[in-house]
Amino acid sequence: MNPDHITLHDKEFKPYLSARELTAAIAEVAGRINQDYAGRQLLFVVVLNGSFMFAADLLKHISLPCEVCFIRVASYQGTSSTGEIQEVLGLTEELQGRHVVLVEDIVDTGHTMRMLLDTLGAQQPASLEVATLFLKPECLLHELPLRYVGLPIPNDFIVGYGLDFDGLGRNYPDVYQAV
């Protein structure tokens, strides 16, 4: 499935990144995590909904003992961030003294990530790092410790590979850019 364009709601999208490019970036991130955390057990905290595909593929490359749990937050409406974070589904795992990797699909303004790092950091994990598939450096409004970044991208609206436009487009294996 690699159409030359897709239409979601009233918006057109063109191909941007292939599944092959995504796989290579994810393998690179996983390799760095495996190396950095050799001999330790990890807890991956996956931010839903957008990160589910990235997390699944990332974890296929992790060779360390690990656990996975999920948290759901919302900060988008349509194609732009609302700037307001609403925690929808809370974390149930104990983080104190554990090595935690927060898995996010995309960091743009950094509002959501700042809130999550503050919230999770308050539980005193042994370490707390971020693995994000995409980073929009020109949008970033917060200084964040983003140790594992798959692909820096420009400030374009993208869908596919877990990212959506008002609920549609998550199912595409490639990433598409708004026209």
Side-chain angles (χ1 to χ4, degrees), residues 12-32:
E12 295 286 319
F13 295 85
K14 65 182 181 180
Y16 182 61
L17 292 165
S18 70
R20 179 174 289 152
E21 291 169 291
L22 298 172
T23 298
I26 293 165
E28 165 75 22
V29 168
R32 291 181 47 222

Side-chain angles (χ1 to χ4, degrees), residues 56-78:
D57 287 343
L58 178 70
L59 289 166
K60 290 174 189 174
H61 295 281
I62 297 297
S63 58
L64 307 168
C66 64
E67 295 177 59
V68 181
C69 65
F70 301 90
I71 189 168
R72 186 171 176 186
V73 295
S75 65
Y76 262 80
Q77 185 169 25

Side-chain angles (χ1 to χ4, degrees), residues 35 51-52 54 70 89 101 111 133:
Q35 182 176 10
S51 300
F52 76 99
F54 172 45
F70 301 90
L89 176 66
V101 176
H111 294 317
L133 181 54

Side-chain angles (χ1 to χ4, degrees), residues 16-18 21-22 25 76 105-109 132-140 146 149-160 163 175-178:
Y16 182 61
L17 292 165
S18 70
E21 291 169 291
L22 298 172
Y76 262 80
D105 56 353
I106 189 167
V107 174
D108 45 31
T109 64
T132 183
L133 181 54
F134 300 111
L135 170 64
K136 292 183 177 181
E138 61 193 74
C139 297
L140 205 55
L146 301 174
V149 175
L151 297 163
I153 61 171
N155 186 23
D156 296 318
F157 187 70
I158 58 174
V159 297
L163 292 99
V175 171
Y176 292 80
Q177 172 186 44

Side-chain angles (χ1 to χ4, degrees), residues 33-56:
I33 292 171
N34 285 328
Q35 182 176 10
D36 292 350
Y37 285 96
R40 297 185 215 151
Q41 182 173 316
L42 292 173
L43 172 63
F44 288 92
V45 177
V46 179
V47 182
L48 295 174
N49 283 342
S51 300
F52 76 99
M53 286 181 133
F54 172 45

